[in-house]
Amino acid sequence: MQIHLFPRLALFALPGVLLTPLSLAGEDTERAISAILEKMSVEEKAGQMTQLTLGALSSSESNSGDPDGHELDPDKLRNAIVKKHVGSVLNVHNMAFSVTHWHKILTQIQDLATKETRHRIPVLYGIDSVHGANYVRGATLFPHNLGLAATRNAKLVEQCHAITARETRAAGIPWNFGPSLDVGRQPLWSRYVETFGEDVHISSVMATASVRGLQGESLSSKTSVAATAKHFLGYSFPLSGQDRTQSLLPEHYLREYFLPPFIRAVEQNVQAVMVNSSEINGIPLHASHEMLTKLLREEMNFKGVIVTDWEDVKKLHNLHKVAPNIKEAVRLSVEAGIDICMAPNDFHFTNNLIQLVREKLVPEEALDASVRRILRLKFSLGLFDSPYPDPASANKIGTKEAHALSARAARESLVLLKNDDALPLSKECKILLTGPGCHSLSALHGSWSYTWQGTDEAAYPEPLQTVLESFNARHGRDNVLWARGAQWDGSTDLDYALRKARNADVIVCVLAEKPGTETPGNISDLSMPENQLRLVRHLATGKPLILVLLGNRPRLITKVAGHCHAIIHAGHPGPHGGEALYEVLTGQFNPTGRLPFTYPRNPHSLLSYDHKHSDSIGPDKETPGFNPLYEFGHGLSYTTFHYDNLEVPATPLDKNDKLRLSVDVTNTGKRKGTETVHVFIRDLFASVVPPVKRLRAFRQVDLSPGETKRVTFEIPVTDLSYFGLENSLVLEPGEFEVMIGGLKKRIAVH
Ligand code: BGC
């Protein structure tokens, strides 16, 4: 029998975490908004709901090499802001600008908006600060979210996002299109590295941390930005693995695995939500009243601004084919519940919306509700008081302290997957660095780094170091040899690499996939490119061979893993990736990272750790059905840990109880180390087929050699519930198994 606990969302709230009531602006502000709204024409309202890209406002000569050579086109700007009443602008033009240039163009835009329009409404500028303020030259970049999830350090994740906010705002930009809260359950997907990995619990914890970090204590503070939870909803699970293609997701599955991070973000008062460009179960999200209004607004009580993704209203007509013309596409999207259309190149949305209101096909009240939310956000950000960038903020960018934090995040993001006593390396050994990642800044940073795809090496600022440069600086040039060995264009120079290897004591092979995101990042084969695998095989000569993996997602390395004495997953660790790798390889830093995803062994086995029991059945006894190369949560240290004395409640628990667990963790090695204790729980029997286990809590513990600490957890029993076929949370009486560090015990719920 199923006990239906509460209708849907009530149970999402973690005990102890009160659902923060959304602080609507104060009464005075609401009155000020009403006063503006009363005087606004339909044209002005439609303009406020329109967002254009900077390129549409820039001079056509702006495409030359120097990014700061970019210029706004006065006529285009005036037409957009004064004539068409555009309320929001986004993006950079080609590549990252300096703070000075950002200040210059934002001042020009705000001058026009606040001095030459009827209601003097400031413009809301938005940008993708995906892993640091990546479109501001000189800003501090961080590991991508996947690496941040590997740190298992929510406090650190919050701090990284706080720096991102500070440096974005220092450029004068008050609105970030992040964090990405898509749960990464499809490793082929080109935006995998932008996710916090495959687990919904980790993604939820990191959602809270990242929104907190970005929005800070007060939105009007010059160190905070408005955050955007994106992309609502189910974007990261495309059936084909290709970006912006359909997902098929039953509602209970959607609620179980994809919705919770967004709920956490709404609890944290996230100011905006961006819509998934694609479709779920045949309905594009931009046309889904069910998703945007019923679920997000009414059920989740989201009061902020819903922004479309790039050109997605138009695409309801010309790509998804659910609207016979663009006018109907606009009507559908407004009916679904969007507030701002990222148009972003023209006025198709604005013009059609005005027409639809005139023809009474869209009620003007719908525009009023959206414009109220937009104006409220502008008020909350303090733009009505001071729309201009702060000239004194340039020195808040790229500080020593921010870089120290990025270096720490990079170190903690590295996951030691294998170590056959090859690591740590001695300080004296001669190292051969090889592979396409060993001398490339883009391989360390990934997409959204100074340019959209991150592939333009010339766009990276001077002092940044590649892996090779970091090793040269720390290990001494005489002790570092290098040979690229394999390139991204598929070519190799294996013999040269092999010749160099003869003079080295150890070979560090830095394989890397070429960075990419969205459609340009699509791949149809998860295998590591063949020329890179050939390089590893060629260098397997018996000398210690260390494999370092840079990239967007887990590329298959099964064919060469056996040749390697040690393997490190590094993802896109950012500007300090090179030094972090050196510190881990030489043992100056004892690795702490844990995989936030399942590392697949085979191309067609892309299951996550929380699969079903039937997925574990293989063709015969020796061949398991679920047999990843490395398990979710895996990550070695230079010390070892032992678990003992797992204690669980002896008597059956009630749904209002807390599940109290404790376990001893001992450092049994010779070095100080940090262990992440993961608590997995399995429902032994349930009315809907239960997964083999689900992560319900995790905690890090620092241990000196020989030290034992008792680690305790208090997990609300309601966290043992799941979404049943009626799409609400159910908790079924019965037995559950708690699994921590190889220990197992049963508990009962009545
Ligand atoms: C991406 C979004 C991004 C937007 C604005 C889109 O193509 O999907 O994640 O925020 O562009 O740059």
Side-chain angles (χ1 to χ4, degrees), residues 290-325:
E290 205 45 47
M291 289 289 181
L292 302 187
T293 297
K294 290 254 177 63
L295 176 59
L296 180 58
R297 285 244 180 266
E298 293 172 7
E299 191 183 322
M300 290 167 67
N301 201 21
F302 172 64
K303 298 270 192 271
V305 165
I306 301 182
V307 60
T308 75
D309 203 342
W310 189 272
E311 216 172 45
D312 279 328
V313 172
K314 210 183 233 179
K315 285 185 185 151
L316 292 177
H317 165 64
N318 61 19
L319 181 68
H320 299 303
K321 313 281 183 197
V322 292
N325 50 54

Side-chain angles (χ1 to χ4, degrees), residues 218-293:
S218 155
L219 283 175
S220 62
S221 142
K222 290 289 177 207
T223 55
S224 296
V225 290
T228 309
K230 70 185 190 183
H231 306 77
F232 192 81
L233 183 67
Y235 178 40
S236 52
F237 202 59
L239 196 60
S240 67
Q242 309 301 303
D243 190 47
R244 289 171 157 80
T245 60
Q246 67 162 326
S247 306
L248 292 173
L249 285 161
E251 188 179 332
H252 66 102
Y253 193 81
L254 195 65
R255 287 177 179 276
E256 183 83 48
Y257 294 105
F258 295 93
L259 192 58
F262 288 91
I263 291 167
R264 295 276 99 82
V266 172
E267 279 172 18
Q268 290 302 320
N269 202 5
V270 73
Q271 294 293 304
V273 165
M274 189 185 289
V275 183
N276 165 6
S277 294
S278 190
E279 56 174 286
I280 303 181
N281 306 336
I283 309 294
L285 278 287
H286 284 85
S288 177
H289 185 78
E290 205 45 47
M291 289 289 181
L292 302 187
T293 297

Side-chain angles (χ1 to χ4, degrees), residues 90-91 127-128 135 177 180 191 194 230-231 235 243-244 274 277 309-310 312 342 448 452 518:
L90 86 148
N91 217 356
I127 198 89
D128 294 280
Y135 283 146
F177 301 136
S180 291
R191 307 188 72 172
E194 295 171 47
K230 70 185 190 183
H231 306 77
Y235 178 40
D243 190 47
R244 289 171 157 80
M274 189 185 289
S277 294
D309 203 342
W310 189 272
D312 279 328
M342 192 184 281
W448 304 105
W452 176 38
E518 303 189 44

Side-chain angles (χ1 to χ4, degrees), residues 428-578:
E428 283 75 46
C429 70
K430 208 164 228 178
I431 301 174
L432 168 68
L433 278 175
T434 183
C438 75
H439 194 26
S440 156
L441 287 169
S442 55
L444 281 178
H445 288 74
S447 53
W448 304 105
S449 302
Y450 306 98
T451 58
W452 176 38
Q453 297 299 312
T455 43
D456 185 350
E457 288 286 324
Y460 287 83
E462 245 318 301
L464 299 180
Q465 290 181 326
T466 64
V467 175
L468 173 66
E469 288 159 346
S470 300
F471 276 52
N472 276 340
R474 286 162 184 79
H475 201 65
R477 272 175 188 277
D478 292 347
N479 275 334
V480 181
L481 309 170
W482 88 285
R484 183 100 55 187
Q487 311 259 25
W488 282 333
D489 63 6
S491 63
T492 50
D493 190 353
L494 304 180
D495 293 340
Y496 179 69
L498 193 61
R499 274 205 305 280
K500 286 267 176 168
R502 288 199 191 108
N503 299 321
D505 302 312
V506 51
I507 301 158
V508 177
C509 195
V510 190
L511 299 192
E513 69 174 329
K514 188 173 176 196
T517 184
E518 303 189 44
T519 314
N522 279 349
I523 54 170
S524 48
D525 181 353
L526 202 55
S527 308
M528 186 62 86
E530 186 50 40
N531 67 323
Q532 300 199 40
L533 296 178
R534 279 221 311 278
L535 175 66
V536 181
R537 278 195 291 261
H538 213 70
L539 295 173
T541 54
K543 277 196 182 160
L545 179 57
I546 319 295
L547 190 59
V548 173
L549 300 163
L550 292 171
N552 188 350
R553 52 210 140 186
R555 300 296 294 255
L556 300 173
I557 50 156
T558 313
K559 290 179 182 158
V560 299
H563 296 311
C564 303
H565 301 94
I567 304 179
I568 292 178
H569 185 269
H572 286 310
H576 297 279

Side-chain angles (χ1 to χ4, degrees), residues 201 374 662 724:
H201 178 70
I374 296 163
S662 53

